[in-house]
Every structure is written in C-alpha cells, then in structure tokens.
Amino acid sequence: MMSYRKLGGSGLNVSAVGLGCMSMSGIYGKANDEESIKVIQRALDIGINFIDTADAYGQGHNEELVGKAIKGSRDKVVLATKFGNTPEGAKGHPDYVRQACDASLKRLGVDSIDLYYQHRVDPSVPIEDTVGAMALLVKQGKVRHLGLSEAAPDTVRRAVAVHPIAALQSEYSLMYREVGEESLPICREHNIAFVAYSPLGRSLLSGAINSLGDLPEDDRRRAHPRFFEQNFDNNIGLVRRVLEIAAEKRIKPSQLVLAWLLAQDDRVVALPGTKHVSYLEENIGAIGVRLGEEDMSAIS
C-alpha cells in the first residue's frame, strides 16, 4: 500500500516514492516511448502520484512524453517540471522564466504545473529576481508551487524571503549523503520537502551494475567520476555489503536503500528513475520495509 508525505507547506500530498522520468529520454542509453508511457501509467495505477520531468531532458522530448502519458489522468498527478538548465549554462533571467514556463505548459499539454523548479541556479542573476518571476507565474495560475534544485542553503534562505518554496531537489542516497545532510536543516527550518534524486546511486546501489560493460556505450554515467575505473571498483566493493544485508532480509537491494533514505526524515521523498515496469514495481516495495536502529546503523 502506498505511503504519502506532505510536500513542504504546499498542502499537497505526494507518494513517498515518486517517479523520475529523465532516463526515458536517452540519458542512460536508448529508451522506448511506448514502454516509457506504460511505466508512467503503471505508476499512477499503483498509487505513485508524483511525476518528475524537466525541459532539459531530451530537449523537450521528456515533457511531451509525460504529457501523452498523463492525458486523461491529470487529476491523479502531482506534476513537477524544471527550467533553467540549458546547454549554454544555467538561466534564471525573469524574461526567460516566463518563456520557459509557457513552452513547458505547451509540451505537457496542461493548464498548470503543480511544482515548478529552477533546475540550476544562475549565478549571474540574483535568486530574488528569478524567484520573483516564478512567483508571478503562481499569481497567473500557470504554476501552483515553487521549487529549487541543487540550491545551497543560503540561496534557499534568500529565496523563501521572496516566496514560499515547497521543495528542494538534490542528489541524496546511501552512497552520496553530503548535500542531503547539509540541506535538511534549512528544509526543516522553512517547512520544505527534500526530493532526493538518484536515490539508488545512479543504479549502483540496486545491484544492477556489476561491471562497466553493463552500461551502454552512449550512457551518460560513463562520464561520471563515480564510474571511473578505480572509483567504480571501490564503489562496487561497498555495494556488495549492501547486497549482503538485503539478502539477509530477503528483500531487493533497491528496497533496502530506499527504505534507509525514507527513514532519514519524514520530509524526504525518494525519486528513483526507471524506464522498466519491473524496476518500478520493485522500488515500490521499499514502502513496506521497516528498519530498526541496528539496521540503520549497519547500513550506514
């Protein structure tokens, strides 16, 4: 049975495990649109209501895909998308904010976006100006709530002085904890949800990757330092212990690490991405996993 959590002070309830759609647009090797739409629709069927996309994924392809998948089911979805992460760098100028939002609404085929993130903070534009433009979108009814992605605590503090921020999205997993541990205090202070992307360590923690040969040649992870040869070997050594603990508990590794993440704070929402129904259903199994203090300590 699905579990839901409050999305900060927005008044929205979102599934504790959401669905990140980035991999459906060729980021981690080839994807199939028909299969991806089945994944999104299956997610809605089993109670996942938090669907995450961005205009940067596939240069708009992902938003169009999500729009097709949720057509006729809009009332079941808390829809999140992002702007401002472009090939030329981060963009946060007010004029660009307005243009990006209108383009996303058109691609998604919706009248409003439930959660609109600045995907990357633009260092050339004061955050007050960017969030001010985003706040205007709320007044216009194009956006319901605002979010930031990969924003430092001081930036978040300045942003909330302009308009409430419902969610902060950054990478957080058993393998990568620094940003989560740094950001949770500011989230608690201002009633902000922490949406954890790559909660499975870019699939390393799921046990699905045992060698670099398991990654397609066009997979973007090959350029990530975590997958450089020596780093990869060290990381796989750590993951083996996670696999052992999961086996002892007779659960999947993904369920163990997602349960560990959700137990960090009740404002944390996990956002694993997948383009396969089988992995989607496996991830949802984390909802029913209960970990005691000894378990949490051993896993950590």
Side-chain angles (χ1 to χ4, degrees):
M1 187 174 180
M2 182 54 64
S3 174
Y4 296 88
R5 296 188 167 188
K6 293 180 179 179
L7 190 72
S10 68
L12 296 174
N13 289 316
V14 298
S15 46
V17 176
L19 176 62
C21 298
M22 182 183 76
S23 65
M24 299 174 183
S25 292
I27 308 296
Y28 291 168
K30 293 180 180 178
N32 178 284
D33 283 2
E34 186 176 340
E35 180 64 23
S36 295
I37 288 173
K38 288 180 180 177
V39 172
I40 295 170
Q41 293 177 341
R42 178 58 179 157
L44 299 180
D45 288 343
I46 60 180
I48 293 175
N49 70 344
F50 194 31
I51 307 295
D52 181 276
T53 181
D55 61 4
Y57 303 158
Q59 297 180 315
H61 165 267
N62 204 253
E63 288 184 323
E64 292 175 350
L65 179 76
V66 169
K68 290 177 184 176
I70 67 172
K71 190 173 183 180
S73 302
R74 181 67 183 92
D75 59 335
K76 295 182 179 180
V77 181
V78 175
L79 179 62
T81 192
K82 317 176 197 72
F83 75 92
N85 186 11
T86 78
E88 297 79 34
K91 289 187 178 181
H93 191 277
D95 287 343
Y96 180 79
V97 175
R98 291 188 287 271
Q99 294 166 12
C101 181
D102 288 342
S104 286
L105 287 168
K106 185 175 181 180
R107 284 189 292 266
L108 290 162
V110 298
D111 296 325
S112 65
I113 295 161
D114 296 311
L115 178 62
Y116 199 44
Y117 292 98
Q118 182 181 19
H119 203 164
R120 293 292 183 273
V121 175
D122 185 345
S124 70
V125 179
I127 191 66
E128 291 85 354
D129 292 355
T130 303
V131 174
M134 295 168 71
L136 185 58
L137 298 174
V138 176
K139 288 184 179 179
Q140 294 170 340
K142 295 179 179 181
V143 168
R144 295 181 66 193
H145 305 284
L146 306 184
L148 297 175
S149 178
E150 296 201 2
D154 285 346
T155 303
V156 175
R157 191 172 284 109
R158 289 167 56 194
V160 297
V162 177
H163 190 278
I165 300 297
L168 173 65
Q169 182 176 145
S170 292
E171 184 171 359
Y172 189 19
S173 72
L174 179 62
M175 179 168 280
Y176 184 79
R177 313 181 204 178
E178 184 177 3
V179 171
E181 291 172 354
E182 178 186 66
S183 301
L184 275 170
I186 192 75
C187 290
R188 296 184 190 111
E189 182 182 340
H190 292 284
N191 194 17
I192 298 170
F194 187 99
V195 179
Y197 79 74
S198 293
L200 299 178
R202 302 174 195 264
S203 295
L204 274 174
L205 291 165
S206 71
I209 301 173
N210 297 295
S211 72
L212 290 174
D214 292 333
L215 296 177
E217 290 296 328
D218 58 349
D219 194 307
R220 197 171 76 179
R221 285 173 290 190
R222 285 181 172 271
H224 195 291
R226 201 170 299 167
F227 293 84
F228 292 174
E229 194 165 344
Q230 184 176 349
N231 295 343
F232 179 82
D233 290 342
N234 291 337
N235 287 330
I236 285 296
L238 295 169
V239 169
R240 288 196 185 102
R241 180 58 185 141
V242 175
L243 303 187
E244 290 170 4
I245 297 173
E248 291 167 6
K249 291 190 165 297
R250 298 183 180 181
I251 59 177
K252 298 291 187 180
S254 60
Q255 295 168 347
L256 182 80
V257 297
L258 289 174
W260 175 90
L261 181 66
L262 293 173
Q264 299 305 308
D265 195 291
D266 62 6
R267 69 185 58 253
V268 172
V269 176
L271 194 67
T274 185
K275 48 191 174 182
H276 302 289
V277 170
S278 59
Y279 290 154
L280 172 80
E281 294 179 342
E282 183 178 297
N283 292 340
I284 288 305
I287 296 294
V289 175
R290 296 291 176 265
L291 300 172
E293 289 185 16
E294 289 186 11
D295 294 325
M296 293 293 288
S297 178
I299 296 165
S300 294

